[in-house]
Amino acid sequence: MHIIYQDETKIFHLYNDNVSYIMKVLPNGHLGQLYFGRRINADKDYSYLLEMMSRPMASYLLDDEKLFSLEHIRQEYGVYGTTDFRRPAVEILQENGSRISDFRFQDYSIAYGKPELEGLPATYTETPEEAVTLIVRLKDLVSDIRLELLYTVFETGAIARSAKFINEGKEAVHLLTAMSLCLDLPDSGYDWVQFSGAWSRERHVKIRRLEQGIQAVESMRGHSSHEHNPFLVLKRPSADEFQGETIGFSLVYSGNFLAQAQVDTQDTTRILLGINPSCFDWKLETGESFQTPEAVMVYSLEGMNGMSRIFHKLYGKRLARGYWRDKARPILINNWEATYFDFTKERLLEIAKKAKECGVELFVLDDGWFGQRSHERAGLGDWVANPERLPDGIKGLAEKIEGLGMQFGLWFEPEMVNKDSDLYREHPDWIIETPGRHSSHGRFQYVLDFSRKEVVDRIYGMMEKILEGAKVSYVKWDMNRSITECYSASLPSDRQGEVFHRYILGVYDLYSRLTAKFPKVLFESCASGGGRFDPGMLYYAPQGWASDDTDAAERLKIQYGTSFCYPISSIGSHVSVVPNHQVYRNTPLHTRANVAFFGTFGYELDLNKLTGEEQEQVKEQIRFMKEYREVLQFGNFYRLCSPFEGNVAAWISVNEEQTVAVAGWYRILSGANMPYTRIKLQGLKEEYRYKIEGRDGYYFGDELMNVGLITTDYTSGEGAVSEGYAGDFDSRIFVLTAVKETQ
Ligand code: GLA
């Protein structure tokens, strides 16, 4: 991977073996976009790609010609109002009321490696050779604001981008729009793919043709949200999971975002990705700077699976960090659905003992252990153990669990407070609310003003005390409501537009301090399930609870959708009871586990309540997961068949050496006299012979990938029932192992 700059042509060419990204300093000094796509020769002047032409109704920038109009030029960081009328990447309100800006090229620097983004989560390198970074410096000569555009090309082909504003002028300005990424593409022949839903049905795949006009997904809830994810894919209509041109855009951010495509009537496409300009207004005083979050673009000719594998590598290895990044994740049991708020120490120990007997490694105590928290109206904010429920405190319980031979984990919801809590009684002014207005609640809780350092400090102090005082190996960090009446009592009126972003910076600050102080604690992020499942969180917590919905059929869709951007090791997935608590559906135990295997794996139930036969099945599931979790969580993952398109879903994880693979096959509804079915596998070595557990003989890799693997070879009718495979919501796991002597 390289970045070159040709002085004569003023062209930057960023490339690796697969991808080229080409920009040019335009005649007015702005930075223009020439090409983003498959790698092309670097030794060439591509200036002819600048579309300079005269059109009726166009406005022109240069006095003596009718050719150069920003309306028809592709730009790197578009501005509005000086011949371009599209939505801008930047809008700055200046003292005289003007919003025009004019960022002109000054200079640039290129260096191996990647600088950190202060206070923000971002991708990183471990050695400088993994990536090369270009910083292009531009300046608005009227306001004296400097703009630095940062581009990092990773070996893998991913390109990370962000922007930084520095006020070198004499007046304060207001940043009203400061996107992380602006990409102008020369045509609009794409499908737009978004990942949307709601609580309990997060990240469902929605595909439609890109059309003239604006299409967007966004959040204005104060967190990235269940409703939309800060991730967007454009693919050619002929591209699918396995082939074809696909571009993924992901924002490393957990707050309000906007992901937008604007197709103009000349059919060019502008992508914008960044902090949502709605509700955003950042005052930049003289001498201050503002760093946008990072956006990551991935270009693939190997379809959506190809794109996903690049994201998985980058986000699994160079966004997630710390002790747990590369480690197989512990199999856990969580008491929430087993007890809700209704537990005693004895009850918890019963659950833990049975779990240990079945092979579980980590016991997680969920909501209800602190303050007066025996229902949802009280206790949030008081992070001290409830002595009535836990007479020996967290320390005593943790020791008991450790004594059983398991690790101990604990739930927190650090950003929230109930009005019925000591913290609220002491600091009623610490919640986010607007003076003189009604304060709305969510689940009877209020959001603490994390834009204030003293609030974050206080919560840190309480959490630190718990984590220092007991052997806690895992923290589930929850966040269960959106922000309303957004306003901070600590900021002046002209800074209220900063609160949403400052809040998220406060969340990141608390995460940074806790992960630095307790580097071996495994953090799992959660927000009523997947309400803040985003790359920003992944930087601090290497796994996230994907959804409160643990029904196997629903989970197939949620995990399938999540896998487009996020690595399997990051997807929190558990087995729960039937009828399921979210959709009241009955699915077989083997299918619940077969879905949860493609994630971090665990149980969300009281194993004592299962039959002896089911408990034996659980033991076998745990044995299986322990044997294959490295492949499942860190292997190359391929989606094979989409639950959004039909009755069957399938996927496979293959280890790096292509010697071990685990495939999952799932059928939603059964039918009468059903056809034979096969799935074509992916990721195997063509010439290797593979043994398939439970089947005679062997199969070549090319055979399994072209002919396919038969998935319906078991007896039908009553025979299948007795074998445990029949009826609705059936599924199977296939383990493939390369036969050594033939490699
Ligand atoms: C949220 C989480 C659940 C559970 C409850 C506890 O809904 O997503 O997993 O922790 O809170 O209140």
Side-chain angles (χ1 to χ4, degrees):
M1 92 247 129
H2 294 280
I3 297 177
I4 53 171
Y5 178 67
Q6 294 167 341
D7 213 15
E8 330 74 73
T9 57
K10 295 190 162 40
I11 284 183
F12 291 99
H13 193 145
L14 291 60
Y15 62 91
N16 78 345
D17 292 347
N18 303 313
V19 181
S20 282
Y21 190 89
I22 308 178
M23 304 181 285
K24 177 180 168 70
V25 179
L26 300 175
N28 67 336
H30 290 196
L31 198 58
Q33 153 65 221
L34 295 185
Y35 174 79
F36 178 35
R38 187 181 200 150
R39 161 87 190 271
I40 54 175
N41 204 309
D43 189 21
K44 173 86 207 287
D45 177 5
Y46 292 106
S47 301
Y48 72 92
L49 290 172
L50 252 185
E51 274 145 26
M52 305 269 275
M53 64 192 295
S54 183
R55 287 178 198 270
M57 275 310 285
S59 313
Y60 303 97
L61 262 180
L62 306 180
D63 290 341
D64 53 357
E65 47 94 295
K66 282 207 312 181
L67 293 174
F68 184 64
S69 171
L70 292 178
E71 187 172 358
H72 303 294
I73 297 283
R74 283 175 286 123
Q75 294 161 69
E76 277 302 304
Y77 210 65
V79 292
Y80 164 79
T82 62
T83 75
D84 185 5
F85 301 99
R86 289 167 290 181
R87 296 281 175 164
V90 53
E91 193 178 8
I92 302 177
L93 177 63
Q94 294 141 65
E95 188 106 324
N96 67 1
S98 158
R99 294 167 188 231
I100 299 281
S101 54
D102 180 15
F103 285 102
R104 298 184 181 206
F105 178 70
Q106 303 274 296
D107 58 17
Y108 71 95
S109 56
I110 296 172
Y112 280 97
K114 180 172 188 287
E116 283 182 14
L117 303 188
E118 206 190 320
L120 285 167
T123 55
Y124 58 90
T125 51
E126 286 201 334
T127 56
E129 307 80 58
E130 291 173 9
V132 55
T133 296
L134 163 71
I135 300 176
V136 184
R137 292 183 198 86
L138 305 111
K139 190 152 187 173
D140 180 272
L141 298 173
V142 174
S143 65
D144 274 335
I145 307 289
R146 190 142 62 87
L147 166 63
E148 293 184 356
L149 297 178
L150 189 135
Y151 298 82
T152 299
V153 192
F154 283 89
E155 235 178 344
T156 52
I159 298 177
R161 294 177 56 174
S162 66
K164 185 176 179 179
F165 294 87
I166 303 125
N167 187 351
E168 295 178 343
K170 293 195 175 64
E171 294 167 356
V173 296
H174 285 259
L175 285 177
L176 303 180
T177 301
M179 301 310 279
S180 301
L181 172 153
C182 170
L183 179 68
D184 287 349
L185 295 163
D187 70 281
S188 64
Y190 294 97
D191 285 339
W192 154 286
V193 190
Q194 69 186 57
F195 300 84
S196 301
W199 173 82
S200 247
R201 55 178 166 82
E202 297 91 339
R203 294 173 298 285
H204 280 212
V205 182
K206 315 259 178 205
I207 306 185
R208 62 175 181 273
R209 270 307 284 268
L210 208 52
E211 254 308 335
Q212 289 183 356
I214 287 179
Q215 34 258 282
V217 289
E218 64 174 1
S219 169
M220 301 221 292
R221 308 179 72 103
H223 53 111
S224 49
S225 88
H226 300 85
E227 283 70 18
H228 299 292
N229 199 258
F231 178 56
L232 166 68
V233 177
L234 292 190
K235 70 169 193 66
R236 294 296 183 189
S238 59
D240 56 26
E241 283 283 20
F242 311 106
Q243 58 74 38
E245 195 177 11
T246 306
I247 315 175
F249 302 92
S250 163
L251 185 67
V252 187
Y253 190 56
S254 311
N256 288 349
F257 73 91
L258 174 70
Q260 177 172 295
Q262 179 172 17
V263 180
D264 67 10
T265 49
Q266 311 293 349
D267 285 328
T268 68
T269 303
R270 169 168 293 175
I271 301 295
L272 291 175
L273 183 61
I275 293 178
N276 198 331
S278 292
C279 311
F280 176 78
D281 175 345
W282 191 277
K283 187 176 182 188
L284 203 61
E285 295 277 7
T286 303
E288 285 181 350
S289 63
F290 181 83
Q291 171 67 57
T292 73
E294 172 168 291
V296 176
M297 315 187 290
V298 167
Y299 178 89
S300 158
L301 283 171
E302 290 173 34
M304 294 197 281
N305 268 313
M307 169 205 70
S308 297
R309 283 197 304 282
I310 296 175
F311 272 116
H312 290 183
K313 279 229 160 69
L314 183 68
Y315 282 4
K317 300 291 179 196
R318 294 295 180 266
L319 178 62
R321 299 171 302 161
Y323 179 79
W324 283 99
R325 185 188 72 185
D326 303 330
K327 291 200 170 49
R329 304 299 160 74
I331 296 169
L332 68 81
I333 189 147
N334 177 304
N335 74 305
W336 180 241
E337 288 200 6
T339 67
Y340 294 104
F341 287 117
D342 184 19
F343 62 80
T344 57
K345 190 182 97 186
E346 291 68 36
R347 181 83 207 287
L348 297 176
L349 287 172
E350 269 170 38
I351 295 174
K353 272 184 201 144
K354 180 53 85 180
K356 170 66 193 168
E357 188 189 312
C358 293
V360 172
E361 298 160 315
L362 167 70
F363 174 85
V364 179
L365 173 54
D366 209 279
D367 195 355
W369 57 267
F370 49 90
Q372 293 307 305
R373 184 79 169 169
S374 50
H375 50 77
E376 58 182 19
R377 285 176 179 265
L380 284 174
D382 297 339
W383 300 107
V384 278
N386 177 340
E388 282 154 40
R389 291 187 154 194
L390 303 173
D392 313 318
I394 290 298
K395 183 167 189 285
L397 182 63
E399 275 167 8
K400 283 251 157 34
I401 300 289
E402 286 271 332
L404 292 174
M406 295 168 97
Q407 294 195 307
F408 177 73
L410 202 54
W411 181 96
F412 287 91
E413 195 177 356
E415 300 151 68
M416 299 292 158
V417 72
N418 287 114
K419 286 200 170 171
D420 186 0
S421 69
D422 292 342
L423 186 69
Y424 181 79
R425 281 183 282 273
E426 195 185 323
H427 291 291
D429 58 323
W430 275 9
I431 63 171
I432 290 185
E433 62 178 345
T434 303
R437 303 278 173 196
H438 172 73
S439 307
S440 310
H441 73 93
R443 217 189 182 200
F444 306 110
Q445 63 195 52
Y446 297 82
V447 185
L448 285 169
D449 185 355
F450 264 41
S451 74
R452 296 168 71 163
K453 187 167 176 308
E454 68 270 31
V455 178
V456 176
D457 286 349
R458 177 66 179 271
I459 299 297
Y460 175 79
M462 286 191 264
M463 292 179 78
E464 183 191 42
K465 205 162 170 196
I466 294 281
L467 300 180
E468 264 180 347
K471 188 141 181 11
V472 180
S473 305
Y474 161 107
V475 166
K476 177 176 171 185
W477 178 320
D478 212 339
M479 198 289 296
N480 285 314
R481 65 156 291 188
S482 304
I483 295 178
T484 54
E485 293 92 25
C486 185
Y487 188 97
S488 172
S490 70
L491 289 171
S493 59
D494 62 350
R495 286 194 177 269
Q496 290 301 324
E498 301 175 17
V499 180
F500 274 118
H501 183 58
R502 285 187 184 274
Y503 174 85
I504 284 295
L505 294 180
V507 172
Y508 291 153
D509 179 36
L510 183 58
Y511 254 120
S512 299
R513 286 152 74 177
L514 287 168
T515 49
K517 178 79 194 269
F518 304 100
K520 288 199 175 163
V521 171
L522 173 59
F523 281 81
E524 176 153 349
S525 71
C526 175
S528 281
R532 202 162 62 183
F533 198 106
D534 58 59
M537 285 292 116
L538 197 51
Y539 183 70
Y540 303 99
Q543 58 190 60
W545 184 224
S547 177
D548 275 349
D549 194 339
T550 46
D551 170 74
E554 297 295 314
R555 267 295 183 135
L556 261 183
K557 289 186 173 165
I558 295 165
Q559 291 175 213
Y560 197 91
T562 304
S563 77
F564 278 80
C565 182
Y566 304 97
I568 302 307
S569 58
S570 72
I571 303 178
S573 50
H574 301 165
V575 174
S576 63
V577 292
V578 289
N580 171 269
H581 289 194
Q582 292 77 39
V583 295
Y584 312 104
R585 183 183 281 140
N586 284 296
T587 54
L589 182 54
H590 72 269
T591 293
R592 280 173 272 153
N594 289 349
V595 175
F597 287 145
F598 288 82
T600 58
F601 201 69
Y603 292 84
E604 194 93 3
L605 47 75
D606 181 355
L607 292 167
N608 291 297
K609 300 218 163 130
L610 301 188
T611 63
E613 204 176 306
E614 286 170 331
Q615 288 174 7
E616 289 310 308
Q617 226 179 311
V618 165
K619 285 181 191 163
E620 178 50 29
Q621 290 167 356
I622 293 174
R623 188 209 59 73
F624 172 84
M625 189 61 190
K626 285 179 180 166
E627 186 168 351
Y628 293 106
R629 60 185 155 184
E630 293 277 353
V631 183
L632 287 159
Q633 293 169 350
F634 300 107
N636 286 314
F637 178 79
Y638 300 78
R639 291 174 300 273
L640 301 174
C641 187
S642 170
F644 294 100
E645 287 168 14
N647 197 34
V648 166
W651 50 36
I652 187 170
S653 280
V654 186
N655 70 350
E656 210 55 58
E657 301 75 37
Q658 295 166 290
T659 52
V660 182
V662 182
W665 173 87
Y666 312 85
R667 185 179 59 204
I668 304 301
L669 294 183
S670 184
N673 193 15
M674 293 186 82
Y676 293 108
T677 56
R678 299 178 198 167
I679 33 168
K680 291 184 181 176
L681 303 184
Q682 289 273 319
L684 304 175
K685 191 113 180 147
E686 294 189 343
E687 63 275 21
Y688 281 7
R689 294 162 191 239
Y690 293 90
K691 280 236 25 103
I692 299 178
E693 214 173 278
R695 289 196 184 174
D696 295 334
Y698 62 83
Y699 301 81
F700 284 108
D702 57 1
E703 180 185 354
L704 292 165
M705 294 193 289
N706 292 294
V707 180
L709 167 76
I710 291 174
T711 52
T712 43
D713 60 335
Y714 51 86
T715 341
S716 62
E718 278 177 23
V721 177
S722 65
E723 284 172 35
Y725 295 115
D728 297 339
F729 313 114
D730 192 13
S731 68
R732 304 188 75 187
I733 290 288
F734 298 94
V735 177
L736 289 79
T737 321
V739 183
K740 284 276 175 307
E741 59 272 24
T742 59
Q743 287 168 32

